[in-house]
Structures are given as structure tokens and as C-alpha cells.
């Protein structure tokens, strides 16, 4: 398997075998980080963030620095020529002259694909509007894999904004390829999973009630209602607190449940859940750096996989 020079735009750009290769590599990186601390020496990552980010951008930057590489980029697009009206295509052509690999987040669906088509260097999609966020998916899956050993036969509940949540869409597409995975989709009617994502799943239920679904779950993937994607403030206010997971509700859940959240959270997970051994969202964000190290090294052709 050779990922050198490839783009990662959508979750299905990686085969199951390629994802498994990245998980294995991330495990090796976690076990012996010193073996990887120089492998991207002389390589430059460009981070192009047209939308806010804390974990994704910083974990990519930390990942590249921990591989011995370096980082350039912007997180305030209005400080770049974007403010003068430059297109994504011209920005990526420019960046490809200076850097070896680029990671891009943009509010428009399809923007990373547009960039990849014009780019002479690998482009990684760090979120394109309400569409996909494939490296969050690698993070989510590595977290489950490290705890449960695999994905076959798991029951996963996805709760919150399943309409605009790009992390949900990506995770469903990637996970639906494993056998016996059951999805329980918990959302208000207005925030249901879009049809094109429903089509990916063999076995799913759509429900409205979190407490009722909770006892059945091996994994609960909580999400934030995506305020920035709403057209109307009233709808956001009405829907934003639809689901709040707290310690009292969690009493009904299995001992082996994993609670995941891509973060940032607003109110959908109370802080009284944070110390429960079933809360995995802080471990998850740490795993995000390790899987991004694996991905950067693989796309730059620095590891045999
Ligand atoms: C997510 C995103 O940007 O889609 N955040 C992240 O990358 N960890 C989730 C969110 O913003 O709700």
C-alpha cells in the first residue's frame, strides 16, 4: 500500500486496508515517538484555514513539527490575498510552489476537491462546510480501535446535529464498510442525516430520544449543533439544546460505553461526565495528533506501509 502523493478529500478516498495501515502506524508512533521525530525533516506543511479551528489546525501543526518538519500558513484568511478576492485555485497553486503538503478548511462544500484538482502537492481536507472531515474520522476510529480492538459488530449512536455535522457524515461513510455495524441516529426531525449519507448504511434506526437509545450503545458520538450553518437564528435557538448528556443519564448506559465528541462542545455534554471512565473525548483529541502524524508521513512517502 502506497499513499505517497495522494489527496485525502473524502472518507472513501482511503480503502479499509489503508485506514488499518494508518491505525497500525499511529500505534507505532504512540509506542516509540522518537523513531519518527526526524522522518519529515526538510518537509513543509501549509495550513490554510478559512474557518475557525483549535484542535484540527494545532494537531496538524504539532504533528508536522513532531515529525521534524516545518509549518507555514494562515488561520485568518482576511490577512491573506483571499481578502483581495483570490480564488481557491490560485491560492493552492501558490502554496504548491512553497510547501510539500497542504491542509485546508473552508466553509464551502467541495472546496477541498477544487483545491486538489489544481494542486501539485497532496491536499488534505480539514473540513469543507457541512460535507466531510476525513481526518476527524481517522481520529474517531483510532480512538475506538485502541479501546475495542476493532469495529465489527458495534452499535454506535450518533446524536445531535446530524444534518450539518461533517464529522458525522465522514464517520458514517468510513464505518459502514465494516461488518455488522449498527447505527442509531438520534436527532430532531430538522437535523436528520441527509439522504446521500443514509444510503451508505446497511443497518440503521432513526430515533428522537437519547435516553431510550443509550442502554443499547457501545459508542455514543455526541455533536454540537452547528450554529454557523443555520440560515436562521430562531431555528438554532430552538434546536441547540435538544440533547444534553449528563452523569444522571449515563447511569442507564453500558459499562463499556465510549462517549466520543469531536469537540468543541457547547452544552451537549455536561462537565459532570468528564471524569467518568466512559468519557473518551479528551483521549480522542490526543489521538488526533498521532493519526495526523501517521497520515502526513504516509502522504509524504516517508514510511513504508
Ligand atoms: C469539528 C468540525 O470542525 O467539524 N471540530 C473538529 O474539527 N474537531 C466539530 C465541530 O465544529 O462541531
Amino acid at each position: 500500500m502506497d499513499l505517497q502523493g495522494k489527496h485525502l478529500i473524502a472518507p472513501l478516498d482511503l480503502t479499509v486496508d489503508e485506514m488499518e495501515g494508518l491505525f497500525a502506524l499511529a500505534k507505532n508512533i504512540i509506542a516509540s515517538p522518537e523513531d519518527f521525530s526526524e522522518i519529515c525533516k526538510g518537509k513543509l506543511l501549509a495550513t490554510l484555514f478559512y474557518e475557525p479551528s483549535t484542535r484540527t489546525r494545532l494537531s496538524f501543526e504539532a504533528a508536522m513539527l513532531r515529525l521534524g518538519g516545518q509549518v507555514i500558513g494562515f488561520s485568518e484568511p482576511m490577512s491573506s490575498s483571499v481578502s483581495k478576492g483570490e480564488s481557491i485555485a490560485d491560492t493552492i497553486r501558490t502554496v504548491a510552489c512553497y510547501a510539500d503538503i497542504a491542509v485546508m478548511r473552508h466553509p464551502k462544500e467541495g472546496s477541498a476537491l477544487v483545491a486538489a484538482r489544481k494542486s501539485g502537492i497532496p491536499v488534505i481536507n480539514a473540513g469543507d462546510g457541512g460535507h466531510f472531515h476525513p481526518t476527524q474520522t481517522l481520529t474517531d476510529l483510532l480512538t475506538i480501535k485502541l479501546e475495542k480492538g476493532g469495529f465489527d459488530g458495534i452499535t454506535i449512536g450518533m446524536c445531535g446535529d446530524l444534518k450539518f455535522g461533517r464529522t458525522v457524515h465522514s464517520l458514517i461513510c468510513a464505518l459502514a464498510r465494516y461488518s455488522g455495524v449498527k447505527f442509531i441516529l438520534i436527532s430532531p426531525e430538522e437535523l436528520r442525516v441527509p439522504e446521500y449519507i443514509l444510503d451508505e448504511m446497511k443497518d440503521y434506526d432513526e430515533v428522537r430520544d437519547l435516553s431510550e437509545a443509550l442502554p443499547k450503545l457501545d459508542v455514543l458520538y455526541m455533536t454540537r449543533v452547528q450554529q454557523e450553518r443555520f440560515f436562521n437564528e430562531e431555528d438554532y435557538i430552538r434546536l441547540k439544546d435538544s440533547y444534553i448528556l449528563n452523569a444522571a443519564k449515563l447511569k442507564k448506559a453500558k459499562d463499556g460505553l465510549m462517549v466520543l465528541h469531536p469537540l468543541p462542545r457547547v452544552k451537549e455534554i455536561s462537565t459532570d461526565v468528564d471524569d467518568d471512565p466512559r468519557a473518551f473525548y479528551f483521549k480522542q483529541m490526543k489521538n488526533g495528533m498521532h493519526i495526523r502524524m501517521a497520515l502526513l508521513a504516509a502522504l509524504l512517502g516517508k514510511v513504508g506501509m
Side-chain angles (χ1 to χ4, degrees), residues 155-178:
T155 298
I156 180 167
M158 303 183 121
C159 178
D161 186 347
L162 310 187
K163 177 180 182 184
F164 295 117
R166 55 196 175 193
T167 66
V168 169
H169 305 160
S170 295
L171 184 54
I172 289 174
C173 294
L175 197 50
R177 294 179 294 178
Y178 289 88

PDB file of all heavy atoms in Angstrom, residues 155-178:
ATOM      1  N   THR A 155     -22.453  -1.255  18.020  1.00  0.00           N
ATOM      2  CA  THR A 155     -23.628  -0.398  17.886  1.00  0.00           C
ATOM      3  C   THR A 155     -23.206   1.004  18.278  1.00  0.00           C
ATOM      4  O   THR A 155     -22.750   1.229  19.395  1.00  0.00           O
ATOM      5  CB  THR A 155     -24.773  -0.890  18.795  1.00  0.00           C
ATOM      6  OG1 THR A 155     -25.128  -2.213  18.369  1.00  0.00           O
ATOM      7  CG2 THR A 155     -25.990   0.013  18.702  1.00  0.00           C
ATOM      8  N   ILE A 156     -23.329   1.929  17.326  1.00  0.00           N
ATOM      9  CA  ILE A 156     -22.900   3.306  17.579  1.00  0.00           C
ATOM     10  C   ILE A 156     -24.097   4.247  17.486  1.00  0.00           C
ATOM     11  O   ILE A 156     -24.877   4.178  16.533  1.00  0.00           O
ATOM     12  CB  ILE A 156     -21.760   3.734  16.614  1.00  0.00           C
ATOM     13  CG1 ILE A 156     -21.326   5.181  16.887  1.00  0.00           C
ATOM     14  CG2 ILE A 156     -22.136   3.566  15.147  1.00  0.00           C
ATOM     15  CD1 ILE A 156     -20.019   5.596  16.204  1.00  0.00           C
ATOM     16  N   GLY A 157     -24.260   5.074  18.498  1.00  0.00           N
ATOM     17  CA  GLY A 157     -25.297   6.111  18.469  1.00  0.00           C
ATOM     18  C   GLY A 157     -24.655   7.417  18.060  1.00  0.00           C
ATOM     19  O   GLY A 157     -23.576   7.763  18.536  1.00  0.00           O
ATOM     20  N   MET A 158     -25.298   8.124  17.136  1.00  0.00           N
ATOM     21  CA  MET A 158     -24.792   9.447  16.751  1.00  0.00           C
ATOM     22  C   MET A 158     -25.875  10.432  17.105  1.00  0.00           C
ATOM     23  O   MET A 158     -27.034  10.259  16.689  1.00  0.00           O
ATOM     24  CB  MET A 158     -24.462   9.462  15.275  1.00  0.00           C
ATOM     25  CG  MET A 158     -23.468   8.364  14.956  1.00  0.00           C
ATOM     26  SD  MET A 158     -22.991   8.422  13.259  1.00  0.00           S
ATOM     27  CE  MET A 158     -21.264   8.648  13.454  1.00  0.00           C
ATOM     28  N   CYS A 159     -25.514  11.448  17.872  1.00  0.00           N
ATOM     29  CA  CYS A 159     -26.545  12.273  18.493  1.00  0.00           C
ATOM     30  C   CYS A 159     -26.274  13.757  18.282  1.00  0.00           C
ATOM     31  O   CYS A 159     -25.150  14.218  18.475  1.00  0.00           O
ATOM     32  CB  CYS A 159     -26.560  11.952  19.991  1.00  0.00           C
ATOM     33  SG  CYS A 159     -27.744  12.928  20.919  1.00  0.00           S
ATOM     34  N   GLY A 160     -27.309  14.504  17.909  1.00  0.00           N
ATOM     35  CA  GLY A 160     -27.184  15.960  17.813  1.00  0.00           C
ATOM     36  C   GLY A 160     -27.499  16.455  16.423  1.00  0.00           C
ATOM     37  O   GLY A 160     -28.536  16.124  15.848  1.00  0.00           O
ATOM     38  N   ASP A 161     -26.576  17.225  15.870  1.00  0.00           N
ATOM     39  CA  ASP A 161     -26.775  17.826  14.549  1.00  0.00           C
ATOM     40  C   ASP A 161     -26.228  16.904  13.476  1.00  0.00           C
ATOM     41  O   ASP A 161     -25.072  16.996  13.073  1.00  0.00           O
ATOM     42  CB  ASP A 161     -26.071  19.189  14.502  1.00  0.00           C
ATOM     43  CG  ASP A 161     -26.362  19.948  13.217  1.00  0.00           C
ATOM     44  OD1 ASP A 161     -26.902  19.334  12.264  1.00  0.00           O
ATOM     45  OD2 ASP A 161     -26.035  21.139  13.163  1.00  0.00           O
ATOM     46  N   LEU A 162     -27.071  16.003  13.006  1.00  0.00           N
ATOM     47  CA  LEU A 162     -26.622  15.006  12.039  1.00  0.00           C
ATOM     48  C   LEU A 162     -26.783  15.525  10.605  1.00  0.00           C
ATOM     49  O   LEU A 162     -26.335  14.895   9.657  1.00  0.00           O
ATOM     50  CB  LEU A 162     -27.393  13.698  12.227  1.00  0.00           C
ATOM     51  CG  LEU A 162     -27.443  13.158  13.671  1.00  0.00           C
ATOM     52  CD1 LEU A 162     -28.096  11.780  13.687  1.00  0.00           C
ATOM     53  CD2 LEU A 162     -26.068  13.097  14.324  1.00  0.00           C
ATOM     54  N   LYS A 163     -27.405  16.705  10.494  1.00  0.00           N
ATOM     55  CA  LYS A 163     -27.601  17.292   9.168  1.00  0.00           C
ATOM     56  C   LYS A 163     -26.356  18.061   8.718  1.00  0.00           C
ATOM     57  O   LYS A 163     -25.828  17.834   7.629  1.00  0.00           O
ATOM     58  CB  LYS A 163     -28.799  18.242   9.207  1.00  0.00           C
ATOM     59  CG  LYS A 163     -29.043  18.955   7.905  1.00  0.00           C
ATOM     60  CD  LYS A 163     -30.246  19.887   8.006  1.00  0.00           C
ATOM     61  CE  LYS A 163     -30.498  20.560   6.672  1.00  0.00           C
ATOM     62  NZ  LYS A 163     -31.593  21.535   6.786  1.00  0.00           N
ATOM     63  N   PHE A 164     -25.896  18.951   9.581  1.00  0.00           N
ATOM     64  CA  PHE A 164     -24.763  19.799   9.201  1.00  0.00           C
ATOM     65  C   PHE A 164     -23.427  19.253   9.704  1.00  0.00           C
ATOM     66  O   PHE A 164     -22.368  19.772   9.342  1.00  0.00           O
ATOM     67  CB  PHE A 164     -24.958  21.208   9.768  1.00  0.00           C
ATOM     68  CG  PHE A 164     -26.147  21.934   9.194  1.00  0.00           C
ATOM     69  CD1 PHE A 164     -27.217  22.305  10.006  1.00  0.00           C
ATOM     70  CD2 PHE A 164     -26.206  22.257   7.845  1.00  0.00           C
ATOM     71  CE1 PHE A 164     -28.307  22.984   9.495  1.00  0.00           C
ATOM     72  CE2 PHE A 164     -27.298  22.936   7.320  1.00  0.00           C
ATOM     73  CZ  PHE A 164     -28.353  23.302   8.149  1.00  0.00           C
ATOM     74  N   GLY A 165     -23.455  18.240  10.573  1.00  0.00           N
ATOM     75  CA  GLY A 165     -22.214  17.753  11.186  1.00  0.00           C
ATOM     76  C   GLY A 165     -21.358  16.964  10.205  1.00  0.00           C
ATOM     77  O   GLY A 165     -21.619  15.804   9.910  1.00  0.00           O
ATOM     78  N   ARG A 166     -20.308  17.599   9.711  1.00  0.00           N
ATOM     79  CA  ARG A 166     -19.457  16.927   8.709  1.00  0.00           C
ATOM     80  C   ARG A 166     -18.702  15.743   9.306  1.00  0.00           C
ATOM     81  O   ARG A 166     -18.379  14.792   8.613  1.00  0.00           O
ATOM     82  CB  ARG A 166     -18.482  17.937   8.102  1.00  0.00           C
ATOM     83  CG  ARG A 166     -17.620  18.674   9.143  1.00  0.00           C
ATOM     84  CD  ARG A 166     -16.987  19.904   8.521  1.00  0.00           C
ATOM     85  NE  ARG A 166     -16.250  20.703   9.495  1.00  0.00           N
ATOM     86  CZ  ARG A 166     -15.825  21.944   9.235  1.00  0.00           C
ATOM     87  NH1 ARG A 166     -16.066  22.506   8.072  1.00  0.00           N
ATOM     88  NH2 ARG A 166     -15.146  22.618  10.145  1.00  0.00           N
ATOM     89  N   THR A 167     -18.441  15.805  10.620  1.00  0.00           N
ATOM     90  CA  THR A 167     -17.720  14.682  11.238  1.00  0.00           C
ATOM     91  C   THR A 167     -18.609  13.440  11.249  1.00  0.00           C
ATOM     92  O   THR A 167     -18.129  12.324  11.098  1.00  0.00           O
ATOM     93  CB  THR A 167     -17.275  15.019  12.681  1.00  0.00           C
ATOM     94  OG1 THR A 167     -18.425  15.184  13.508  1.00  0.00           O
ATOM     95  CG2 THR A 167     -16.445  16.284  12.726  1.00  0.00           C
ATOM     96  N   VAL A 168     -19.908  13.659  11.405  1.00  0.00           N
ATOM     97  CA  VAL A 168     -20.872  12.550  11.396  1.00  0.00           C
ATOM     98  C   VAL A 168     -20.924  11.910  10.010  1.00  0.00           C
ATOM     99  O   VAL A 168     -20.878  10.681   9.866  1.00  0.00           O
ATOM    100  CB  VAL A 168     -22.279  13.074  11.792  1.00  0.00           C
ATOM    101  CG1 VAL A 168     -23.354  12.031  11.541  1.00  0.00           C
ATOM    102  CG2 VAL A 168     -22.294  13.545  13.236  1.00  0.00           C
ATOM    103  N   HIS A 169     -21.003  12.743   8.987  1.00  0.00           N
ATOM    104  CA  HIS A 169     -21.113  12.222   7.615  1.00  0.00           C
ATOM    105  C   HIS A 169     -19.894  11.371   7.256  1.00  0.00           C
ATOM    106  O   HIS A 169     -20.007  10.280   6.697  1.00  0.00           O
ATOM    107  CB  HIS A 169     -21.259  13.374   6.606  1.00  0.00           C
ATOM    108  CG  HIS A 169     -22.400  14.292   6.932  1.00  0.00           C
ATOM    109  ND1 HIS A 169     -22.511  15.563   6.454  1.00  0.00           N
ATOM    110  CD2 HIS A 169     -23.499  14.115   7.727  1.00  0.00           C
ATOM    111  CE1 HIS A 169     -23.618  16.124   6.901  1.00  0.00           C
ATOM    112  NE2 HIS A 169     -24.229  15.268   7.688  1.00  0.00           N
ATOM    113  N   SER A 170     -18.717  11.894   7.596  1.00  0.00           N
ATOM    114  CA  SER A 170     -17.486  11.162   7.268  1.00  0.00           C
ATOM    115  C   SER A 170     -17.402   9.857   8.039  1.00  0.00           C
ATOM    116  O   SER A 170     -17.016   8.823   7.487  1.00  0.00           O
ATOM    117  CB  SER A 170     -16.257  11.990   7.659  1.00  0.00           C
ATOM    118  OG  SER A 170     -16.172  13.139   6.900  1.00  0.00           O
ATOM    119  N   LEU A 171     -17.751   9.927   9.313  1.00  0.00           N
ATOM    120  CA  LEU A 171     -17.628   8.733  10.164  1.00  0.00           C
ATOM    121  C   LEU A 171     -18.580   7.635   9.680  1.00  0.00           C
ATOM    122  O   LEU A 171     -18.204   6.453   9.615  1.00  0.00           O
ATOM    123  CB  LEU A 171     -17.905   9.115  11.627  1.00  0.00           C
ATOM    124  CG  LEU A 171     -17.736   8.022  12.672  1.00  0.00           C
ATOM    125  CD1 LEU A 171     -16.367   7.366  12.601  1.00  0.00           C
ATOM    126  CD2 LEU A 171     -17.973   8.587  14.087  1.00  0.00           C
ATOM    127  N   ILE A 172     -19.792   8.014   9.320  1.00  0.00           N
ATOM    128  CA  ILE A 172     -20.745   7.014   8.821  1.00  0.00           C
ATOM    129  C   ILE A 172     -20.180   6.328   7.573  1.00  0.00           C
ATOM    130  O   ILE A 172     -20.167   5.100   7.482  1.00  0.00           O
ATOM    131  CB  ILE A 172     -22.115   7.663   8.519  1.00  0.00           C
ATOM    132  CG1 ILE A 172     -22.821   8.038   9.823  1.00  0.00           C
ATOM    133  CG2 ILE A 172     -22.992   6.730   7.668  1.00  0.00           C
ATOM    134  CD1 ILE A 172     -24.117   8.808   9.651  1.00  0.00           C
ATOM    135  N   CYS A 173     -19.687   7.116   6.619  1.00  0.00           N
ATOM    136  CA  CYS A 173     -19.195   6.521   5.359  1.00  0.00           C
ATOM    137  C   CYS A 173     -18.050   5.546   5.621  1.00  0.00           C
ATOM    138  O   CYS A 173     -17.996   4.455   5.035  1.00  0.00           O
ATOM    139  CB  CYS A 173     -18.720   7.612   4.404  1.00  0.00           C
ATOM    140  SG  CYS A 173     -20.033   8.675   3.826  1.00  0.00           S
ATOM    141  N   ALA A 174     -17.135   5.933   6.498  1.00  0.00           N
ATOM    142  CA  ALA A 174     -15.961   5.088   6.741  1.00  0.00           C
ATOM    143  C   ALA A 174     -16.341   3.825   7.532  1.00  0.00           C
ATOM    144  O   ALA A 174     -15.875   2.723   7.223  1.00  0.00           O
ATOM    145  CB  ALA A 174     -14.897   5.872   7.504  1.00  0.00           C
ATOM    146  N   LEU A 175     -17.188   3.978   8.518  1.00  0.00           N
ATOM    147  CA  LEU A 175     -17.509   2.877   9.432  1.00  0.00           C
ATOM    148  C   LEU A 175     -18.478   1.876   8.813  1.00  0.00           C
ATOM    149  O   LEU A 175     -18.458   0.682   9.151  1.00  0.00           O
ATOM    150  CB  LEU A 175     -18.104   3.490  10.708  1.00  0.00           C
ATOM    151  CG  LEU A 175     -18.189   2.676  11.980  1.00  0.00           C
ATOM    152  CD1 LEU A 175     -16.862   2.013  12.332  1.00  0.00           C
ATOM    153  CD2 LEU A 175     -18.660   3.567  13.140  1.00  0.00           C
ATOM    154  N   ALA A 176     -19.320   2.355   7.902  1.00  0.00           N
ATOM    155  CA  ALA A 176     -20.333   1.473   7.299  1.00  0.00           C
ATOM    156  C   ALA A 176     -19.696   0.346   6.492  1.00  0.00           C
ATOM    157  O   ALA A 176     -20.368  -0.619   6.129  1.00  0.00           O
ATOM    158  CB  ALA A 176     -21.274   2.291   6.410  1.00  0.00           C
ATOM    159  N   ARG A 177     -18.390   0.454   6.218  1.00  0.00           N
ATOM    160  CA  ARG A 177     -17.727  -0.608   5.435  1.00  0.00           C
ATOM    161  C   ARG A 177     -17.335  -1.805   6.285  1.00  0.00           C
ATOM    162  O   ARG A 177     -16.944  -2.848   5.759  1.00  0.00           O
ATOM    163  CB  ARG A 177     -16.492  -0.037   4.734  1.00  0.00           C
ATOM    164  CG  ARG A 177     -16.874   1.000   3.688  1.00  0.00           C
ATOM    165  CD  ARG A 177     -15.659   1.575   3.019  1.00  0.00           C
ATOM    166  NE  ARG A 177     -14.852   2.351   3.938  1.00  0.00           N
ATOM    167  CZ  ARG A 177     -13.704   2.946   3.614  1.00  0.00           C
ATOM    168  NH1 ARG A 177     -13.239   2.852   2.392  1.00  0.00           N
ATOM    169  NH2 ARG A 177     -13.034   3.639   4.506  1.00  0.00           N
ATOM    170  N   TYR A 178     -17.386  -1.673   7.611  1.00  0.00           N
ATOM    171  CA  TYR A 178     -17.065  -2.813   8.486  1.00  0.00           C
ATOM    172  C   TYR A 178     -18.329  -3.644   8.682  1.00  0.00           C
ATOM    173  O   TYR A 178     -19.448  -3.125   8.576  1.00  0.00           O
ATOM    174  CB  TYR A 178     -16.514  -2.311   9.818  1.00  0.00           C
ATOM    175  CG  TYR A 178     -15.112  -1.730   9.686  1.00  0.00           C
ATOM    176  CD1 TYR A 178     -14.921  -0.393   9.368  1.00  0.00           C
ATOM    177  CD2 TYR A 178     -13.984  -2.534   9.855  1.00  0.00           C
ATOM    178  CE1 TYR A 178     -13.640   0.141   9.230  1.00  0.00           C
ATOM    179  CE2 TYR A 178     -12.703  -2.009   9.722  1.00  0.00           C
ATOM    180  CZ  TYR A 178     -12.536  -0.676   9.417  1.00  0.00           C
ATOM    181  OH  TYR A 178     -11.269  -0.159   9.282  1.00  0.00           O
TER     182      TYR A 178
END
